[in-house]
Amino acid sequence: MTQMYNKKVMEHFSNPRNVGEIENASGTGQVGSAACGDIMKIDIKVEDNIIVDVKFKTFGCGAAVASSSIATEMIIGKSVEEALKFTNKDLLKEIGGLPNEKIHCSILAEEALQEAINNYKSKIK
Amino acid sequence: MTQMYNKKVMEHFSNPRNVGEIENASGTGQVGSAACGDIMKIDIKVEDNIIVDVKFKTFGCGAAVASSSIATEMIIGKSVEEALKFTNKDLLKEIGGLPNEKIHCSILAEEALQEAINNYKSKIK
Amino acid sequence: MTEKHRIYLDHAATTPVNQEVLDTMIPYFNSEFGNASSVYSYGRTARIAIEKAKNTIADVIHSLDSEIFFTSGGTESDNWAIRGVMQANEKKGKHIITSTIEHHAVWDTCKKLKKEGYEVTFLPVDGDGLININELNEAIREDTVMVSIMFANNEIGTIQPIEEIGALCKEKNVLFHTDAIQAVGHLEIDVEKMNINLLSMSAHKFGGPKGVGALYVKKGTRIGNLMYGGGQEKSKRPGTYNHVGIIGLAKALEISYKNIKDESKRQLELREALIQGISDNIEEVRLNGHPTKRLPNNVNMSFKYIEGESLLLSLDIMGISASSGSACTSGSLDPSHVLLAIGLDHATAHGSLRLTLGETNTRKDIEDTIDALIPIVKRLRNMSPLYVKGEQS
Amino acid sequence: MTEKHRIYLDHAATTPVNQEVLDTMIPYFNSEFGNASSVYSYGRTARIAIEKAKNTIADVIHSLDSEIFFTSGGTESDNWAIRGVMQANEKKGKHIITSTIEHHAVWDTCKKLKKEGYEVTFLPVDGDGLININELNEAIREDTVMVSIMFANNEIGTIQPIEEIGALCKEKNVLFHTDAIQAVGHLEIDVEKMNINLLSMSAHKFGGPKGVGALYVKKGTRIGNLMYGGGQEKSKRPGTYNHVGIIGLAKALEISYKNIKDESKRQLELREALIQGISDNIEEVRLNGHPTKRLPNNVNMSFKYIEGESLLLSLDIMGISASSGSACTSGSLDPSHVLLAIGLDHATAHGSLRLTLGETNTRKDIEDTIDALIPIVKRLRNMSPLYVKGEQS
Ligand SMILES: Cc1ncc(COP(=O)(O)O)c(C=O)c1O
Ligand SMILES: Cc1ncc(COP(=O)(O)O)c(C=O)c1O
């Protein structure tokens, strides 16, 4: 049953949550490259050490879009420390699994988020 | 359409003419070997230089049986000289063709007949 | 959109089996099922059907019946043609010329041969996907055994100058194989006039069943086996005849060529309408492949800033089946080698969409597809970090 | 005898497609026809069906789903298993052991490898067609890569001591391939218990369609490709999936194993009745193959003084389909290498008849066959120059 998406993936692909950008974002992370076929950009807004808003833009396949969408949902409301612990395993669990050759999309989401947080941290230092 | 027999071949295979042996035959010819899967034995009875009777026995495939049967029919009534001119081409024409890999059966019939005639000639010398 | 309204635009990947073809095949599954190599009656019926099938194919491509060999599909035909000829002609040399836009069945076979010590020249193509006949001429050497250039490309639809290639190969005394898997059933083919020595076809690309193909091998061509076994196909391609598949292949071919002129004209008009409709309504698109030397059923376009699979999935949700590059490579991360070979950058290559027409497609399908594409592209672009202009518009 | 009364006794050559199997296949020809490698919905349905098919096969032979690869039939499975393993394991050596009674798909592949510089040991068999496990043990060398011994013979029905061979190969650390093309669907198979590394099967031998087979490849087995191309089957066996054929194969397998114990007991009783009936009524006959270690559906007998094809044709006229030796070699002049390997002289080998049962055969079929054979043998013997005793009787 590889090479196929489950219902949840398809639902998030069709109605992705939190698409867009945050003006004056607290932090921004962008990973991937057009050459590889996937780019993910995540903006976060942090207030009192809590991630109060996340927005994403993704160029990529269905799994990339759905991973971005679910990741943003999972992160909103978390503290910066909690968010730093977020890994693609959590995402895969929440998403209900991805085809083998699409696992890297969940990793991209993890990396984009980490980069956004690091970007936020570097700014407040 | 190779590997298949026409109606005439099947008819002669099912109802072969002149099966058997001639007691005190004027000449006998046997060619082929069990190892090759085909043995043909032809007996002829010659009276006043005319082949008045021919009988055959054949161990072999459908084409071998049909070739023997048709050959005997073609030869009865012929003079010894006429019979010596008989070739597998005449047989193939009469029979309406054989699959490529069965052409050798018509050659066997020619050879068996020639051997029977030679046998007859050697006796009367 | 209900299932009834699905629009299938991926005929280059595979086609449904034509109902008339299926009806012809059915009795052979269990009434006339005999082994075609047997001497008894059941087998004879199968055998006659196979001989008739060779005759049908030979009539279409202008060959002799005895020059047609059945295979398990396009991949086997390509592998057999190339490996079989290269191995059997080592006395002449170990050099083969092919192009940079071949299907993987040819491309990967050549790459494997290279690893085994053969020499391979991969001839480049221009921006439209055409090889250059002068470059081919220069590439041919003393030790060149064969040229393998596809008839028409499966991704971008470009049709090569087959007759010129054939003439050149004849003049230079090298063998010419063409992967005609996308051409058979769609274009007129004359192996005699085109000087083709070997030609691959696959039934499921023109309304026949999957798992059966054919290789035309011109009389006198030295070719080794890909497989060894029983005496079928003069021992060149052993294995119990898949006579049901063979009957299906021949019937599908016969039907395709019955009114090929009209049908290909009809599809060509739909193709142009589709290209026009997309270009008129969506910005920053480009047509991939040659504008006119092109399969009548092929549209391949790149949509900037978006990625192909998202496009496919979105269309699929709307009931439209399409493809991004070659169906065979879906799931791989690299963009299609064909799109790169015609000079596209990676991002643009990733954003390509292939729409391939079939005989059941109507003008309404084309209109519905354009109507579906416009908002999908807009939505995906708005989601794309690469797209800035017109954002949130 | 009208067509209705035909008695088909050549199931080892090929079987009719079971009606339930055909009904399962039909919708996939043109409703669910999509390319199994595509991302869109049509393709997904085909993909799911293929995964399910792997699961069905894996359940029957006790393997993992991921160890099943689809091919175009038995010939390809055998060729791929042997060539693929030998090429991928050259570091260990170039020696392969097989038997003298293999099907041509194995036999000719090995002979070709020999020409290419590999070393092949052809293990002899005894008068019943069995290999000797001690001889096999002695034949295994340091550089032996694999042993390829068939599960059950297609001509004489003899079943090899597969579990012993598997155990020995495991102990000696050589790979074990078995051509189980006649066994699958008829005997219980456990690749785990039997220590089999590779196993070939072909759908049309057990009520499935022609042109589709499978190769079981144990996880971790080093094997190269026979063909190159797209990414299907983890790139090990490229080419658009023949999903209709695959679905047919799996369904046929499932049906065969549903009540295999009862059906095989039933066929075994018919087999014994046929052997007994012939032996009791016709003089100078011999049973070829092992009397008990034998496929439940196989009868192979030699009739002295007569030639096999005449026997077949005569039976065919009476509406009975049978075979003489292997259907694949019909039309060849040499007698079957299997019959020679078990010690028959040429004449006796030429006079062999194979009758192979299937699930639709009844006791009446057996009686009718015996009744037909008696006068046919008499007639042919009377026509035979080799037969003297009882002439014209
Ligand atoms: C140009 C071309 N060559 C080869 C193939 C391989 O054919 P098949 O999938 O029938 O093996 C295809 C289709 O997949 C093709 O379009
Ligand atoms: C034992 C055995 N091996 C291999 C084959 C070849 O299988 P296929 O004809 O399906 O290619 C057959 C049947 O013909 C067979 O009986």
Side-chain angles (χ1 to χ4, degrees):
Chain A
M1 317 272 171
T2 52
Q3 290 192 18
M4 263 169 299
Y5 297 135
N6 65 37
K7 273 203 185 129
K8 185 152 187 178
V9 175
M10 285 306 291
E11 203 274 318
H12 272 269
F13 172 73
S14 306
N15 305 295
R17 329 292 197 257
N18 309 310
V19 175
E21 289 173 307
I22 298 177
E23 258 181 75
N24 303 319
S26 317
T28 292
Q30 176 167 329
V31 295
S33 78
C36 300
D38 290 295
I39 300 176
M40 244 180 240
K41 175 168 168 284
I42 288 188
D43 290 351
I44 55 173
K45 186 171 191 93
V46 183
E47 281 174 10
D48 297 335
N49 202 40
I50 300 293
I51 300 179
V52 294
D53 197 11
V54 186
K55 290 251 184 293
F56 82 90
K57 284 213 162 190
T58 289
F59 163 88
C61 65
V65 172
S67 294
S68 318
S69 169
I70 295 185
T72 59
E73 272 200 332
M74 289 175 76
I75 287 309
I76 293 180
K78 281 207 160 66
S79 70
V80 169
E81 286 70 34
E82 282 172 323
L84 270 174
K85 286 189 204 130
F86 173 87
T87 72
N88 80 308
K89 296 232 173 64
D90 305 318
L91 180 55
L92 284 174
K93 208 168 155 194
E94 180 70 19
I95 216 167
L98 282 176
N100 267 337
E101 66 275 25
K102 298 292 187 183
I103 300 289
H104 73 277
C105 296
S106 65
I107 297 173
L108 275 185
E110 176 190 325
E111 290 175 353
L113 178 72
Q114 302 307 338
E115 207 174 286
I117 298 176
N118 288 336
N119 176 247
Y120 158 72
K121 283 187 162 179
S122 71
K123 282 193 203 168
I124 59 166
K125 249 179 205 157
Chain B
M1 316 270 169
T2 52
Q3 289 191 19
M4 265 168 298
Y5 296 135
N6 65 38
K7 273 203 184 130
K8 185 154 186 176
V9 174
M10 285 307 290
E11 203 275 317
H12 273 270
F13 172 73
S14 305
N15 304 295
R17 329 292 197 257
N18 308 310
V19 175
E21 289 173 309
I22 299 177
E23 258 180 76
N24 303 319
S26 317
T28 293
Q30 177 166 328
V31 294
S33 79
C36 300
D38 290 296
I39 301 176
M40 245 180 240
K41 175 168 167 284
I42 287 187
D43 290 350
I44 54 173
K45 185 170 192 93
V46 184
E47 282 173 10
D48 298 335
N49 202 41
I50 300 294
I51 300 178
V52 293
D53 197 10
V54 186
K55 290 252 185 291
F56 82 90
K57 283 211 161 189
T58 290
F59 162 89
C61 65
V65 172
S67 294
S68 318
S69 169
I70 295 185
T72 59
E73 272 200 330
M74 289 174 77
I75 288 309
I76 292 178
K78 283 209 158 66
S79 69
V80 170
E81 288 69 34
E82 281 173 326
L84 269 174
K85 287 191 204 129
F86 174 87
T87 71
N88 80 308
K89 296 233 172 62
D90 305 319
L91 180 54
L92 284 174
K93 207 167 154 194
E94 180 70 19
I95 216 168
L98 281 176
N100 268 337
E101 66 274 25
K102 298 293 188 183
I103 299 289
H104 74 277
C105 295
S106 65
I107 298 174
L108 276 185
E110 175 190 324
E111 290 174 353
L113 178 71
Q114 303 307 338
E115 206 173 288
I117 298 176
N118 289 337
N119 176 245
Y120 157 73
K121 284 187 162 177
S122 70
K123 282 193 205 166
I124 59 166
K125 250 178 206 157
Chain C
M1 221 176 250
T2 65
E3 272 303 312
K4 258 201 292 188
H5 293 103
R6 279 203 75 85
I7 300 175
Y8 184 73
L9 288 174
D10 201 14
H11 290 87
T14 196
T15 58
V17 174
N18 178 300
Q19 188 60 48
E20 199 184 330
V21 170
L22 186 53
D23 292 342
T24 310
M25 290 163 63
I26 296 285
Y28 291 89
F29 278 109
N30 49 23
S31 316
E32 300 295 349
F33 66 92
N35 191 317
S37 303
S38 302
V39 291
Y40 53 78
S41 317
Y42 275 122
R44 266 181 240 148
T45 312
R47 178 93 206 159
I48 292 171
I50 290 170
E51 295 298 330
K52 221 184 109 209
K54 292 199 177 187
N55 184 254
T56 303
I57 300 169
D59 272 0
V60 165
I61 67 168
H62 301 271
S63 74
L64 303 176
D65 295 9
S66 58
E67 294 172 330
I68 305 299
F69 296 83
F70 294 108
T71 68
S72 65
T75 297
E76 185 189 329
S77 294
D78 283 345
N79 273 263
W80 180 22
I82 294 173
R83 183 171 288 275
V85 165
M86 292 310 290
Q87 285 188 345
N89 292 278
E90 289 194 358
K91 277 206 185 116
K92 183 176 178 199
K94 298 188 88 174
H95 182 233
I96 174 172
I97 300 168
T98 185
S99 86
T100 49
I101 60 163
E102 297 296 315
H103 186 272
H104 281 281
V106 168
W107 173 266
D108 288 12
T109 301
C110 288
K111 285 197 289 189
K112 182 64 176 28
L113 286 178
K114 201 168 169 182
K115 273 198 202 146
E116 294 173 19
Y118 291 85
E119 282 184 78
V120 187
T121 298
F122 290 95
L123 216 59
V125 294
D126 67 16
D128 291 330
L130 286 174
I131 67 128
N132 180 308
I133 197 84
N134 295 326
E135 284 176 23
L136 175 59
N137 190 6
E138 279 159 31
I140 297 176
R141 319 185 312 209
E142 268 300 304
D143 63 341
T144 304
V145 171
M146 81 192 292
V147 168
S148 179
I149 305 264
M150 71 200 312
F151 206 114
N153 186 271
N154 50 307
E155 298 189 36
I156 56 174
T158 300
I159 301 169
Q160 300 297 337
I162 294 299
E163 205 170 329
E164 288 176 57
I165 300 172
L168 177 62
C169 288
K170 192 180 177 179
E171 185 200 316
K172 297 282 193 132
N173 198 26
V174 298
L175 297 170
F176 176 32
H177 166 250
T178 186
D179 171 346
I181 288 161
Q182 290 292 336
V184 174
H186 303 281
L187 301 176
E188 303 208 54
I189 292 170
D190 186 332
V191 294
E192 195 59 43
K193 208 177 82 187
M194 296 171 168
N195 280 306
I196 297 167
N197 298 91
L198 303 108
L199 180 144
S200 306
M201 65 177 81
S202 185
H204 73 97
K205 304 289 187 183
F206 51 85
K210 295 180 184 43
V212 60
L215 182 66
Y216 150 77
V217 183
K218 192 187 171 82
K219 211 174 141 180
T221 306
R222 288 175 66 89
I223 182 166
N225 281 26
L226 192 64
M227 297 181 211
Y228 297 84
Q232 295 90 349
E233 298 286 61
K234 304 162 208 152
S235 291
K236 290 244 138 268
R237 205 304 188 173
T240 301
Y241 282 104
N242 171 11
H243 70 290
V244 182
I246 289 168
I247 288 163
L249 184 156
K251 189 75 194 172
L253 198 69
E254 189 189 310
I255 294 172
S256 299
Y257 280 91
K258 216 181 284 169
N259 64 346
I260 187 154
K261 285 216 176 72
D262 291 347
E263 179 58 17
S264 109
K265 183 159 167 281
R266 194 188 73 87
Q267 288 188 18
L268 196 142
E269 281 166 16
L270 293 184
R271 178 190 87 187
E272 291 305 307
L274 190 49
I275 295 173
Q276 201 61 49
I278 293 173
S279 311
D280 287 351
N281 289 287
I282 305 177
E283 288 182 349
E284 300 195 75
V285 297
R286 64 159 275 165
L287 178 70
N288 299 317
H290 198 280
T292 57
K293 290 173 185 166
R294 180 180 200 95
L295 284 169
N297 72 339
N298 176 291
V299 173
N300 188 311
M301 298 184 93
S302 285
F303 296 78
K304 269 202 113 163
Y305 315 122
I306 62 184
E307 193 272 340
E309 195 205 278
S310 304
L311 204 47
L312 288 194
L313 273 180
S314 304
L315 282 169
D316 191 40
I317 293 166
M318 300 292 288
I320 301 169
S321 298
S323 156
S324 180
S326 168
C328 298
T329 53
S330 294
S332 109
L333 298 180
D334 292 331
S336 135
H337 68 280
V338 176
L339 297 176
L340 297 181
I342 60 169
L344 264 57
D345 61 69
H346 277 61
T348 311
H350 273 299
S352 84
L353 178 72
R354 182 184 72 176
L355 302 161
T356 43
L357 304 158
E359 46 177 32
T360 56
N361 290 127
T362 61
R363 189 158 283 267
K364 174 120 199 331
D365 290 350
I366 301 307
E367 287 157 11
D368 288 350
T369 301
I370 297 167
D371 289 347
L373 260 176
I374 297 169
I376 287 171
V377 171
K378 193 168 184 179
R379 191 178 86 90
L380 292 174
R381 283 186 175 167
N382 278 341
M383 212 190 287
S384 169
L386 299 174
Y387 188 62
V388 186
K389 196 183 74 171
E391 196 185 332
Q392 316 286 17
S393 70
Chain D
M1 219 176 249
T2 64
E3 272 304 312
K4 258 202 290 186
H5 291 104
R6 279 204 75 86
I7 299 174
Y8 184 74
L9 287 173
D10 201 14
H11 290 88
T14 196
T15 59
V17 175
N18 179 298
Q19 188 61 46
E20 199 183 330
V21 171
L22 186 52
D23 292 341
T24 309
M25 290 164 64
I26 296 285
Y28 290 88
F29 278 110
N30 48 24
S31 316
E32 301 296 349
F33 66 91
N35 191 318
S37 303
S38 302
V39 290
Y40 53 78
S41 316
Y42 276 121
R44 267 181 240 148
T45 312
R47 180 91 207 161
I48 291 171
I50 291 170
E51 295 298 328
K52 221 185 109 209
K54 292 200 177 186
N55 184 255
T56 304
I57 300 168
D59 273 1
V60 165
I61 68 168
H62 301 271
S63 74
L64 304 175
D65 295 10
S66 58
E67 294 173 330
I68 306 299
F69 296 83
F70 293 108
T71 68
S72 66
T75 297
E76 184 188 329
S77 294
D78 283 343
N79 273 263
W80 180 22
I82 294 173
R83 183 169 289 274
V85 165
M86 293 310 290
Q87 285 188 345
N89 293 277
E90 289 194 358
K91 277 206 185 118
K92 183 177 178 199
K94 298 187 87 172
H95 182 232
I96 173 172
I97 301 169
T98 186
S99 86
T100 49
I101 60 163
E102 297 296 315
H103 185 272
H104 281 281
V106 169
W107 173 265
D108 288 12
T109 300
C110 289
K111 283 196 291 189
K112 182 62 177 25
L113 286 177
K114 202 169 168 178
K115 274 197 202 145
E116 295 173 18
Y118 291 85
E119 282 184 79
V120 187
T121 299
F122 291 95
L123 217 59
V125 294
D126 66 16
D128 291 330
L130 285 173
I131 67 126
N132 181 307
I133 198 84
N134 295 326
E135 285 176 22
L136 175 60
N137 191 7
E138 280 159 30
I140 296 176
R141 317 186 313 208
E142 269 300 305
D143 62 342
T144 304
V145 171
M146 81 190 295
V147 168
S148 179
I149 305 264
M150 70 200 313
F151 206 114
N153 185 271
N154 49 307
E155 298 190 35
I156 57 174
T158 300
I159 301 169
Q160 300 297 338
I162 294 300
E163 205 171 328
E164 287 176 57
I165 299 171
L168 177 62
C169 288
K170 192 180 179 179
E171 185 199 317
K172 296 282 192 133
N173 197 26
V174 298
L175 296 170
F176 176 32
H177 165 250
T178 187
D179 172 347
I181 288 160
Q182 291 292 334
V184 173
H186 304 280
L187 301 175
E188 303 208 52
I189 292 170
D190 186 333
V191 293
E192 197 57 43
K193 208 177 80 184
M194 295 171 168
N195 280 306
I196 297 167
N197 298 91
L198 302 108
L199 179 144
S200 306
M201 65 178 80
S202 186
H204 73 97
K205 304 288 188 183
F206 50 84
K210 295 180 183 46
V212 60
L215 182 66
Y216 150 76
V217 183
K218 194 187 169 85
K219 212 174 140 178
T221 306
R222 289 174 64 89
I223 182 166
N225 281 25
L226 191 63
M227 297 180 212
Y228 297 83
Q232 295 91 348
E233 298 286 62
K234 302 161 210 153
S235 290
K236 291 241 137 273
R237 205 303 188 174
T240 302
Y241 282 103
N242 172 10
H243 71 290
V244 182
I246 290 168
I247 288 162
L249 184 155
K251 189 74 194 172
L253 199 70
E254 188 188 311
I255 294 172
S256 300
Y257 281 90
K258 215 180 284 171
N259 64 345
I260 188 154
K261 285 215 176 71
D262 292 347
E263 179 58 17
S264 112
K265 184 158 167 283
R266 194 188 72 88
Q267 287 188 17
L268 197 142
E269 282 166 17
L270 293 183
R271 178 190 86 186
E272 291 305 307
L274 189 50
I275 295 172
Q276 201 61 50
I278 293 173
S279 311
D280 287 352
N281 291 285
I282 305 178
E283 287 182 349
E284 301 194 76
V285 296
R286 63 158 275 162
L287 178 70
N288 299 317
H290 198 281
T292 57
K293 290 173 186 166
R294 181 180 199 95
L295 285 170
N297 72 338
N298 176 292
V299 173
N300 187 312
M301 299 186 92
S302 285
F303 296 77
K304 268 201 113 163
Y305 315 122
I306 62 183
E307 193 273 340
E309 196 204 281
S310 303
L311 204 46
L312 288 194
L313 273 180
S314 304
L315 281 169
D316 190 42
I317 293 166
M318 300 293 288
I320 300 169
S321 298
S323 155
S324 179
S326 166
C328 299
T329 54
S330 294
S332 111
L333 299 179
D334 292 330
S336 133
H337 68 280
V338 175
L339 297 176
L340 298 180
I342 60 169
L344 264 56
D345 60 69
H346 277 62
T348 310
H350 273 299
S352 84
L353 179 73
R354 182 184 72 176
L355 301 161
T356 44
L357 304 158
E359 47 177 31
T360 57
N361 290 129
T362 61
R363 190 159 283 265
K364 175 124 197 329
D365 289 349
I366 302 308
E367 287 158 11
D368 288 349
T369 301
I370 297 166
D371 288 349
L373 260 177
I374 298 169
I376 287 172
V377 171
K378 193 168 184 179
R379 190 178 87 91
L380 292 174
R381 283 186 175 167
N382 279 341
M383 213 190 288
S384 170
L386 299 173
Y387 188 62
V388 187
K389 195 184 73 168
E391 195 188 332
Q392 316 286 16
S393 72

